[in-house]
DNA sequence: TCAACAGTGTGACGTATATCGCAACCGAGT
DNA sequence: ACTCGGTTGCGATATACGTCACACTGTTGA
């Protein structure tokens, strides 16, 4: 239980809250458990709940009319998603699917309202996080236009490393839990080209490929390749 | 003067304000006049001011290391920009350049703070508008991955039509004031391909090309081509 | 133990689009 | 009236990447 408080407090959204507030929040939160591959909500669903990841990983995906998919991102513990429907009440524009077994805290507009009025920091924090997200999304967009697929793959891996990387004595282990297909959807390319890019990196000794993970061996060169 | 109040009040950000508030706002606002091609701020500049366009058009651009550019968007009267630095105090991540002679209202964090605390609606409106922007940006990103250049051009024209279009008896006049080069940067393609796409549309009789404008003759077909 | 299947690795081929090159046009000065 | 920089139009060529095809591996589970 305490760990849940811990993770919740680490979430940027709630870092302004004190002990007492967090306790109040806990009571209005509902916990959701998802198994790997299970979907929390689908594009087009109604829903105004915001979720904070307590443990596990969740991917946000969009599906084109012809069925092709596109990953908006992969989120880990203490990250949140679903806020958009909270302030702009429309159907969800992305689906949320667990990439690993996950536990989430969900809370609705009504649960959040008291905090928004009594703790202005919460609102500001929300604005700040949306602003940061918007910046990041604009970056990714620029990459789609200017950077080739290997470059985007490198960038994506480095970002995943920031989030999920664990330093080991043989390199930086990034257990992203994504298939190459998903990785491809994340960078907006075909599975095959991503595979070839990875193979090329491995050949050069910049990384080692493992099942749903990579070990970065030469972060510096990856970084240079990325831009 | 009254028209300025008018435009300000039309801005989503301030639509919750009454007569009195708007007057108060007016006093803390500073007016900026820009000539065509003049830049308001550059990527990397410090600055925490938000701008509302009173008249004219402004483009937001990003420049890659090699000098290539990318338009994030073109904004018209009553639209705002620059809010990101307001809540996430970092250097600007885009440059703002006037596409036509323009008049802007600028206000800083300090000018806005009183409204944020006394009128919770303003904060919510801001959240809502950021949420909407984020959605839109995600849409554009998906298009970059899934839609070919002619499709993206069609989409961009339809969007510009929504913003700047004027119904005439010979079609829907969209005076976007962009060169084909800028249009290309907006859709993330080369000037030449955009030119060819436009020529193709014109050949089919879907539109007529004019100087820094197009006249949409068959919106329905354009819409179909866009998706 | 084997079948079935999801995921991975890699080559051959086609194509959309960038890049290059140049000609025509147009509006704004001088 | 005439240049001249900024546009536009459009063909020729190069290439990165998607698509297709198939073989290989590992894992699950009957």
């Amino acid at each position: 239980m305490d760990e849940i408080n811990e993770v919740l407090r680490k979430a940027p959204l709630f870092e302004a809250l004190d002990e007492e507030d967090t306790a109040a929040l806990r009571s209005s939160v509902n916990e959701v458990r998802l198994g790997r591959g299970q979907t929390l909500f689908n594009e087009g669903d109604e829903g105004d709940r915001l979720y904070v990841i307590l443990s596990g990983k969740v991917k946000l995906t969009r599906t084109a009319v012809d069925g092709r998919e596109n990953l908006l991102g992969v989120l880990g513990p203490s990250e949140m998603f679903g806020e958009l429907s909270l302030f702009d009440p429309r159907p969800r524009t992305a689906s949320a699917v667990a990439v690993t077994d996950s536990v989430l805290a969900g809370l609705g507009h009504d649960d959040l309202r008291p905090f928004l009025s009594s703790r202005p920091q919460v609102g500001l924090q929300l604005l700040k996080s949306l602003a940061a997200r918007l910046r990041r999304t604009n970056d990714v967009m620029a990459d789609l236009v200017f950077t080739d697929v290997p470059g985007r793959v490198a960038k994506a891996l480095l970002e995943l490393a920031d989030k999920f990387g664990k330093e080991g004595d043989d390199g930086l282990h990034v257990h992203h839990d994504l298939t190459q297909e998903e990785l491809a959807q994340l960078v907006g390319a075909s599975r095959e080209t991503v595979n070839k890019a990875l193979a090329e990196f491995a050949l050069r000794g910049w990384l080692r490929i493992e099942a749903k993970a990579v070990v970065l061996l030469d972060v510096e060169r990856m970084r240079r390749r990325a831009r």
Side-chain angles (χ1 to χ4, degrees), chain A residues 204-223:
Chain A
R204 300 193 178 202
W206 298 356
L207 54 74
R208 187 151 35 82
I209 302 174
E210 299 192 344
K212 302 200 170 182
V214 294
V215 183
L216 298 184
L217 304 173
D218 193 336
V219 175
E220 198 35 56
R221 274 178 217 276
M222 286 292 285
R223 209 164 264 144

Side-chain angles (χ1 to χ4, degrees), chain A residues 173-211:
Chain A
H173 288 244
V174 185
H175 203 101
H176 50 64
D177 281 305
L178 301 176
T179 65
Q180 293 188 355
E181 177 69 45
E182 288 169 319
L183 198 52
Q185 291 166 356
L186 181 61
V187 303
S190 73
R191 205 257 315 158
E192 293 90 329
T193 15
V194 168
N195 177 298
K196 283 161 193 169
L198 285 174
E200 173 71 18
F201 291 155
L203 187 71
R204 300 193 178 202
W206 298 356
L207 54 74
R208 187 151 35 82
I209 302 174
E210 299 192 344

Side-chain angles (χ1 to χ4, degrees), chain A residues 132-148:
Chain A
R133 280 261 296 278
L134 203 41
R135 287 213 159 118
R136 210 194 136 283
T137 308
N138 283 335
D139 280 342
V140 174
M141 246 183 49
D143 289 340
L144 279 176
V145 174
F146 294 131
T147 311
D148 61 5

Side-chain angles (χ1 to χ4, degrees), chain A residues 50-66:
Chain A
L50 166 161
Y51 297 89
V52 177
I53 301 183
L54 300 177
S55 70
K57 298 191 185 76
V58 172
K59 65 175 177 180
L60 296 173
T61 77
R62 303 188 128 206
T63 310
V65 275
D66 61 355

